[in-house]
Amino acid sequence: MAVEPPPKNLHGDPSTSGGLGYFHLRILGPAAPLLLLRSDRLYSLSFSRRRGHRLRLLASPARRLRRRGGRRRDLLLSTSDCVLRLTHCFSSADAVRINGLPLQGGGGPVDLAVGDEVSLLLLGGRYGFVAEKFISCEVGGKATGSCEEVIVLRAESLRKRLRAISESQDPLSFLRDSYREHVRVKKLREEGVFLCPDGPIDPVPGKNLGQEGCNLDQDRLEHQNDAGKENIFSKKEDTVELSQRSEGYNNGSMEHKGCRNGNVEEHHTEGQYSDGSTFFLNRLFGIRPEMRTGKESGVTLPELLHPIGSLLRVFIATFTSDVSWFLEYCKIPQLLPVTIACHNKERCWSASRESRVASPFENHPNLLLVYPRFPEEIAFGKDRKKQGVACHHPKLIVLQREDSMRVIISSANLVPRQWHLITNTVWWQDFPRRTSPDYSALFGAVEEPKSDFAAQLVSFVGSLVNEVPSQAYWINEIAKYDFEGAGGYLVASVPGLYMPSPCYLESNYCLSENRILHTRSARRMFLGSVQTSVVGLSHRFHMPSDAGSQLKSLSVFLGKCHENMHGTTEVILKRNANIPADANAVSVLVADLDKFSEEDSVQLGFLPREVAKWVSPLSDMGFFKFSGFIYPREALEAAFGATNTKVQLLLYVSKGPEFSQISALIRDEHLPSLCSLVASLKKSLGLWRLEEVLSCFKWPETLETDFMYSASSIGTSINSQFIAHFASATGKRSNHDVDSEESDPEWGCWTAGHELKKPSISLLFPTIERVKSAACGIQLSRFLLSLREKTWQRLRSTGILHDAVPHPHDRIGHPMHVKVVQRRFRSRKGGHSFGWTYCGSHNFSPAAWGQPLRPPSKANTTDMTKAVPSGPRLHICNYELGIILIAPPPCMSKKCNGKVHAIDDISLPFVIPAPRYKHNDRPATPLAMREAMAETCIPQSNDLSEETDEDIADEDDELVVELSDCSPEEKEEEKIYAETLWGQVDSSQSQGKDS
């Protein structure tokens, strides 16, 4: 193609040979480094597979083109006569493009103009640069003194110094010597002595150089001196490596005041503000800065952390992570406490607590990696291996400062590609510090006037660090900030098997340190419940010689018990401080509560050790009161040996007499117990949390205009039933039942039958053609998108799939990794739009949101299973976190605590309405992407260690889980613990009788 030559007024006279100048090339990549090319050299741009799929720019007066494997992969940049001339030697005509158009004419040569963009297609990825400007350093044989020349000379000088430091055998000594030389030079300049390559000289008589002139000449001379010191820099060719993963040129090495187009991004010196009413997108480095301004251009990670110097501590939750990049890119101080919870397929499943943490960075001694545990009960069925399907998948950042705490919820993992090359959502809000900690806020509920943001946040963070006592202080720190003005509602998923949270039940007895305490509970004191169990029944009622009499007594007591509306009955919790094996032991007693005496009771068992170790100290301090409830028939059948499953115990938690004094009385040794409590309290999670939040508002079904979900992964077990469950949780109802007065809460719910007749949701997922035309090629999306071929074939006929077209327009060609849901309505009067929007880490899958489990089938029902509650359960595999932003119906604005958002103020990262898949459209499934790569002869590496950003585990399509498959059994270590306690209890009782 014919490319216009550069304007002569920018280059000087091109016919003048020997003039010195510098071309500015901006790399299209993650760190967007600025390259300075001298106007008297020949440069070769070549591909290096050994260096992590990077491009190398080699400068040499005369360099021959190389051939690799018979295929030429070099591109020449000639800068002679102050003209930037391009010649390529790629065999493919489409390999090199200028301004998006293929280069014709056999590879050049072509003169480039300022503003031209050159891109190279290599191994499925697009690499390239933009010619930004040309600066002439000599005009008419005389050196110029412009500010731009100062920048050029200083930048090249600093670049060579950096390389000298990196190549030095003793960098510390090198830096020390350089500093001493700098002090010497500064002193000479202050004394009026000027420096030249041969040493100091006297200033020119009668001439006042001034500060700018001194800096200019000094930088030029330093540059000349550096060029001559080949003993320091060696005689190697100048090399600049360009990589989609390397950010080495974005760390302040070329910072200069007033340099807006320098190598240092402006986000290093400015922060961003958000009131929490909307979310933003990350800034992409492949988009020219001048195309968009302000927040529309997106935010960067350093901007979110700014100012870094005022941070007290940082908490991060992510799936994949490149911690070294994060520390360097964000300039994290070496002593700043940083906690990063991340995924590890071995450590997260390990039963050993020692596996939960790692401290791999010697230079950052206060940085700790945490690997949250996956519970065994989330494995599907009893015959499956224990290491089930699960991901630690949230993207959360908590920044604590003295006067505020910033909470950031993103869809981007802690890796450079997702922050630099891939579109992700970012929500954040700053919360002010309280005058004194408020521990009541950690137990708030969604139906209360105050936001339950703090309770949800502390519960989620607690679940991640529960097995790392050194990190329990985060619970205490969160209590110091005021989250009542939160702009949205948190939605979390935590792996586990869940029953609905029971309602408040009045209890008569609570745990006490010294004696069994008879006290009536009050509803206003109730904080929540914990689902746990009773251990030790098998030993107590099967092994002792008096097991028969004990069984008879137990049957009598349980027969007299009054079951409440939930089928449970109250038991008595008793401290066993005199048991040597465990000073925190808690016994579970069954008795006639109307005329209770400890002698006239039967001990059922004990609280599990892991529960007793935090229940007892919190009770002893008077912070909380605990009471217990069991299912009597379940306990009786376990005692008789009819079943070997655990006996469930619902632990009810209320405020203790010293609750209001926690901030004054709590000590560091109490924090792990407090952390365990907030992590164990039952919360609505996943689908149930979604329903809990959205059910507070009445959404008029007939006014719906859009219901869309854009995700980078669609679960393999997605079917009409799960889609109906999700739609129903969001408030979707069948039209003819919307205004029914029927009291049944299930009346009118959206079902699989409704879903098959009329799909409720538009699923947005990119087509293979969109991925193939991406700026970075297929390779970047290959391990980012997940939609299995079987799932596509199952959903193909439903018509729910739509193409995900990035928005705004300048993001087209960049992959999206967003997880955004929006349901929009429009009122008939005035056309006012309202609804809700979700953004966060949840992909569209049962693993993320939870799979509702059905009760045991009638064929498998026996008398034994009648003791088990037959209500619904939710099976969640992943850790996830997101935020719901509510724009309520006009008549329900008061529900949002006075903060009413406008749904039109939320700019979605995709085009709406999204185009529905055409007949011949195909999603970018792994099979489709492999086939497309094979067609273009792109090598397909089997090494996923460096490529995988979202290794979403597969789910089993054919697996049907029933409640009977998920009944937990008593573990061997629990049996040993209970047997030890029983032995010491029996011994102490016999000694008491003898005395």
Side-chain angles (χ1 to χ4, degrees):
M1 64 177 286
V3 180
E4 292 293 329
K8 292 184 179 182
N9 61 340
L10 292 180
H11 287 222
D13 186 358
S15 63
T16 304
S17 61
L20 177 63
Y22 288 86
F23 291 92
H24 288 201
L25 303 186
R26 177 77 64 181
I27 298 303
L28 301 178
L34 179 69
L35 299 185
L36 305 176
L37 274 61
R38 289 172 59 112
S39 62
D40 57 353
R41 295 190 181 186
L42 179 68
Y43 293 86
S44 171
L45 190 65
S46 62
F47 181 74
S48 174
R49 189 190 303 265
R50 292 180 302 172
R51 294 178 176 249
H53 294 179
R54 297 178 180 178
L55 296 177
R56 294 194 303 161
L57 184 63
L58 304 175
S60 174
R63 179 171 179 80
R64 295 184 179 181
L65 299 178
R66 292 181 294 175
R67 295 176 181 265
R68 296 180 179 176
R71 181 180 298 179
R72 293 180 296 186
R73 292 185 177 277
D74 286 1
L75 183 149
L76 286 183
L77 292 173
S78 171
T79 60
S80 61
D81 295 332
C82 296
V83 175
L84 184 62
R85 185 168 290 114
L86 173 92
T87 305
H88 84 80
C89 300
F90 287 80
S91 56
S92 172
D94 189 41
V96 181
R97 295 189 177 195
I98 299 180
N99 299 326
L101 300 177
L103 182 61
Q104 305 296 329
V110 174
D111 292 346
L112 298 180
V114 172
D116 282 346
E117 179 179 301
V118 179
S119 59
L120 315 173
L121 178 62
L122 294 172
L123 293 186
R126 278 281 172 188
Y127 304 78
F129 60 86
V130 175
E132 284 200 349
K133 65 170 65 175
F134 175 83
I135 296 178
S136 176
C137 295
E138 294 187 12
V139 178
K142 296 182 180 181
T144 65
S146 66
C147 178
E148 290 181 322
E149 186 192 358
V150 174
I151 298 170
V152 170
L153 294 172
R154 180 168 293 176
E156 184 150 318
S157 175
L158 289 175
R159 181 179 67 84
K160 291 192 175 184
R161 288 184 183 180
L162 284 174
R163 194 182 72 179
I165 294 171
S166 64
E167 293 179 353
S168 173
Q169 294 183 352
D170 188 357
L172 291 178
S173 298
F174 184 94
L175 289 171
R176 190 183 306 112
D177 295 341
S178 298
Y179 176 76
R180 290 172 179 170
E181 178 65 16
H182 171 73
V183 172
R184 185 185 70 85
V185 171
K186 183 178 180 180
K187 183 177 180 181
L188 290 173
R189 289 170 61 181
E190 290 174 348
E191 295 173 353
V193 180
F194 195 68
L195 298 181
C196 70
D198 299 322
I201 61 174
D202 293 331
V204 179
K207 181 173 177 61
N208 183 9
L209 290 175
Q211 187 63 36
E212 182 178 351
C214 290
N215 286 339
L216 168 63
D217 291 336
Q218 182 61 39
D219 285 331
R220 180 183 295 111
L221 291 173
E222 287 178 355
H223 166 65
Q224 294 171 355
N225 285 336
D226 288 339
K229 293 178 181 178
E230 295 191 359
N231 60 321
I232 296 179
F233 301 120
S234 75
K235 296 183 179 181
K236 296 180 181 178
E237 298 170 322
D238 294 339
T239 301
V240 180
E241 295 190 356
L242 318 177
S243 167
Q244 287 189 336
R245 293 186 57 84
S246 175
E247 273 64 52
Y249 287 85
N250 197 35
N251 294 304
S253 60
M254 300 172 67
E255 186 172 5
H256 183 80
K257 287 186 177 181
C259 181
R260 298 183 59 85
N261 294 319
N263 201 35
V264 175
E265 298 295 327
E266 289 183 82
H267 59 244
H268 284 275
T269 56
E270 61 183 62
Q272 293 283 4
Y273 170 77
S274 168
D275 63 359
S277 63
T278 186
F279 64 82
F280 303 89
L281 304 181
N282 61 312
R283 186 175 305 161
L284 299 181
F285 281 93
I287 298 176
R288 291 190 189 178
E290 65 271 14
M291 295 183 67
R292 306 188 71 83
T293 59
K295 290 184 178 179
E296 291 185 353
S297 66
V299 296
T300 66
L301 200 52
E303 281 177 343
L304 292 170
L305 272 62
H306 179 84
I308 198 77
S310 64
L311 289 175
L312 300 180
R313 53 182 61 86
V314 177
F315 182 89
I316 299 175
T318 181
F319 178 58
T320 53
S321 59
D322 186 339
V323 181
S324 298
W325 162 80
F326 166 70
L327 297 175
E328 183 180 7
Y329 177 54
C330 295
K331 300 180 180 178
I332 302 299
Q334 288 186 329
L335 299 181
L336 179 67
V338 179
T339 306
I340 302 179
C342 50
H343 181 88
N344 185 286
K345 61 183 180 180
E346 285 85 23
R347 288 174 176 262
C348 289
W349 282 105
S350 174
S352 171
R353 287 204 169 193
E354 288 71 23
S355 301
R356 296 283 168 263
V357 296
S359 301
F361 297 91
E362 293 182 359
N363 293 334
H364 290 264
N366 296 329
L367 187 148
L368 188 70
L369 299 183
V370 175
Y371 306 100
R373 182 177 67 93
F374 294 141
E376 292 183 4
E377 56 264 26
I378 70 171
F380 290 95
K382 297 178 181 178
D383 296 331
R384 293 280 297 269
K385 60 182 180 180
K386 288 185 177 181
Q387 186 163 324
V389 179
C391 285
H392 178 266
H393 197 250
K395 298 90 171 64
L396 166 71
I397 302 176
V398 179
L399 307 175
Q400 184 184 4
R401 292 184 168 89
E402 189 63 39
D403 59 347
S404 68
M405 178 171 282
R406 172 170 290 189
V407 178
I408 304 167
I409 298 173
S410 175
S411 63
N413 289 304
L414 200 67
V415 292
R417 283 190 296 185
Q418 292 205 7
W419 282 96
H420 298 319
L421 300 176
I422 299 166
T423 293
N424 281 281
T425 59
V426 187
W427 176 94
W428 78 94
Q429 187 174 352
D430 294 323
F431 301 95
R433 189 182 182 99
R434 297 180 181 273
T435 54
S436 61
D438 181 8
Y439 291 89
S440 296
L442 305 184
F443 305 94
V446 70
E447 62 271 9
E448 295 179 355
K450 297 180 180 180
S451 169
D452 68 341
F453 192 98
Q456 293 290 326
L457 177 63
V458 79
S459 175
F460 186 74
V461 172
S463 68
L464 303 185
V465 301
N466 187 25
E467 294 192 341
V468 187
S470 65
Q471 297 299 304
Y473 66 83
W474 275 105
I475 308 304
N476 199 50
E477 298 305 316
I478 292 174
K480 298 176 181 178
Y481 296 84
D482 184 359
F483 296 90
E484 292 181 16
Y489 295 88
L490 288 179
V491 180
S493 290
V494 176
L497 181 65
Y498 300 99
M499 297 186 301
S501 299
C503 300
Y504 164 76
L505 292 175
E506 187 178 86
S507 59
N508 294 286
Y509 293 86
C510 66
L511 184 65
S512 175
E513 182 180 13
N514 301 318
R515 58 187 177 85
I516 295 175
L517 190 62
H518 182 277
T519 177
R520 288 266 178 168
S521 61
R523 185 180 185 87
R524 60 184 175 81
M525 309 293 285
F526 178 67
L527 297 176
S529 62
V530 176
Q531 182 179 339
T532 181
S533 62
V534 182
V535 298
L537 272 77
S538 59
H539 178 88
R540 179 60 173 146
F541 296 99
H542 300 168
M543 302 298 293
S545 57
D546 62 343
S549 62
Q550 291 290 332
L551 279 173
K552 184 177 179 180
S553 299
L554 179 62
S555 300
V556 172
F557 283 125
L558 290 177
K560 294 180 180 180
C561 290
H562 301 290
E563 294 185 14
N564 53 42
M565 58 184 296
H566 298 289
T568 63
T569 187
E570 187 177 1
V571 293
I572 294 175
L573 304 179
K574 176 190 174 185
R575 286 284 278 113
N576 296 119
N578 60 336
I579 298 181
D582 185 6
N584 292 319
V586 177
S587 296
V588 180
L589 307 179
V590 177
D592 185 354
L593 299 184
D594 293 333
K595 45 182 180 179
F596 170 75
S597 66
E598 190 170 349
E599 294 75 17
D600 195 17
S601 64
V602 175
Q603 183 168 346
L604 192 63
F606 303 90
L607 287 184
R609 181 198 294 269
E610 292 301 310
V611 177
K613 79 175 185 178
W614 56 265
V615 166
S616 293
L618 293 178
S619 173
D620 295 348
M621 288 296 298
F623 296 155
F624 302 94
K625 294 191 297 186
F626 301 92
S627 55
F629 293 81
I630 64 168
Y631 294 93
R633 186 169 181 178
E634 185 181 60
L636 191 60
E637 290 182 347
F640 273 99
T643 176
N644 59 353
T645 58
K646 289 183 179 180
V647 173
Q648 300 175 76
L649 184 142
L650 296 177
L651 196 65
Y652 279 62
V653 186
S654 301
K655 295 179 182 178
E658 303 297 333
F659 182 83
S660 61
Q661 301 298 317
I662 291 182
S663 59
L665 300 177
I666 198 166
R667 299 292 181 264
D668 290 344
E669 60 266 24
H670 302 137
L671 295 180
S673 296
L674 181 62
C675 180
S676 296
L677 171 61
V678 298
S680 303
L681 279 174
K682 292 174 70 68
K683 297 286 184 184
S684 294
L685 300 166
L687 284 180
W688 289 354
R689 171 61 176 175
L690 198 63
E691 183 175 15
E692 180 181 62
V693 172
L694 296 177
S695 64
C696 294
F697 306 87
K698 185 176 182 180
W699 305 105
E701 193 70 32
T702 56
L703 301 184
E704 179 191 293
T705 59
D706 296 290
F707 192 1
M708 65 204 85
Y709 197 138
S710 179
S712 60
S713 176
I714 297 177
T716 60
S717 58
I718 291 294
N719 53 28
S720 59
Q721 188 172 23
F722 174 79
I723 298 175
H725 281 307
F726 181 87
S728 182
T730 64
K732 184 76 175 177
R733 296 292 183 267
S734 56
N735 285 338
H736 62 278
D737 292 328
V738 169
D739 299 321
S740 172
E741 297 298 327
E742 182 66 41
S743 59
D744 183 359
E746 296 297 322
W747 185 267
C749 284
W750 195 257
T751 65
H754 295 127
E755 189 64 39
L756 290 173
K757 293 178 183 178
K758 184 181 179 181
S760 59
I761 306 174
S762 298
L763 290 183
L764 276 60
F765 196 84
T767 64
I768 184 60
E769 293 301 320
R770 182 162 303 283
V771 169
K772 287 165 63 176
S773 62
C776 296
I778 300 173
Q779 198 73 5
L780 197 57
S781 298
R782 185 182 173 195
F783 304 109
L784 190 76
L785 303 174
S786 178
L787 170 58
R788 298 300 174 185
E789 197 72 22
K790 283 197 304 183
T791 311
W792 154 239
Q793 296 302 330
R794 186 166 59 247
L795 298 177
R796 188 171 191 170
S797 60
T798 63
I800 67 173
L801 281 175
H802 295 64
D803 193 9
V805 183
H807 175 81
H809 184 268
D810 52 17
R811 290 181 178 264
I812 292 179
H814 295 269
M816 287 198 301
H817 185 244
V818 303
K819 300 92 169 57
V820 174
V821 194
Q822 187 178 84
R823 193 178 184 206
R824 179 187 291 260
F825 304 83
R826 183 177 293 274
S827 63
R828 294 189 180 96
K829 297 181 180 180
H832 174 73
S833 292
F834 56 93
W836 56 269
T837 308
Y838 164 91
C839 66
S841 71
H842 288 79
N843 279 305
F844 193 61
S845 73
W849 288 105
Q851 176 70 61
L853 300 186
R854 50 191 179 184
S857 61
K858 293 183 179 180
N860 294 332
T861 301
T862 64
D863 292 337
M864 187 170 56
T865 59
K866 292 180 182 178
V868 181
S870 58
R873 294 193 187 182
L874 191 66
H875 185 282
I876 299 178
C877 295
N878 295 356
Y879 289 95
E880 308 277 2
L881 188 66
I883 188 87
I884 293 182
L885 308 174
I886 303 288
C891 60
M892 303 188 70
S893 297
K894 294 182 180 179
K895 285 276 187 178
C896 284
N897 305 323
K899 294 186 67 175
V900 179
H901 305 323
I903 197 168
D904 292 331
D905 291 342
I906 298 177
S907 180
L908 298 178
F910 43 80
V911 172
I912 53 171
R916 190 186 299 270
Y917 272 29
K918 300 183 180 68
H919 176 71
N920 58 343
D921 280 341
R922 181 184 181 188
T925 64
L927 177 61
M929 287 187 280
R930 287 197 300 269
E931 291 175 352
M933 294 177 70
E935 290 175 2
T936 55
C937 300
I938 298 175
Q940 300 184 34
S941 172
N942 293 323
D943 181 14
L944 309 185
S945 59
E946 296 252 342
E947 299 291 343
T948 302
D949 284 343
E950 287 292 334
D951 187 12
I952 307 300
D954 293 336
E955 301 167 65
D956 192 340
D957 282 338
E958 310 301 325
L959 189 62
V960 178
V961 183
E962 296 187 348
L963 293 182
S964 58
D965 295 329
C966 305
S967 301
E969 298 181 0
E970 198 171 54
K971 299 178 183 177
E972 190 62 32
E973 57 266 28
E974 291 176 333
K975 293 180 181 180
I976 297 173
Y977 170 70
E979 289 172 5
T980 304
L981 296 185
W982 275 124
Q984 296 183 2
V985 166
D986 293 339
S987 175
S988 63
Q989 289 177 348
S990 62
Q991 290 176 4
K993 292 178 182 179
D994 294 339
S995 62

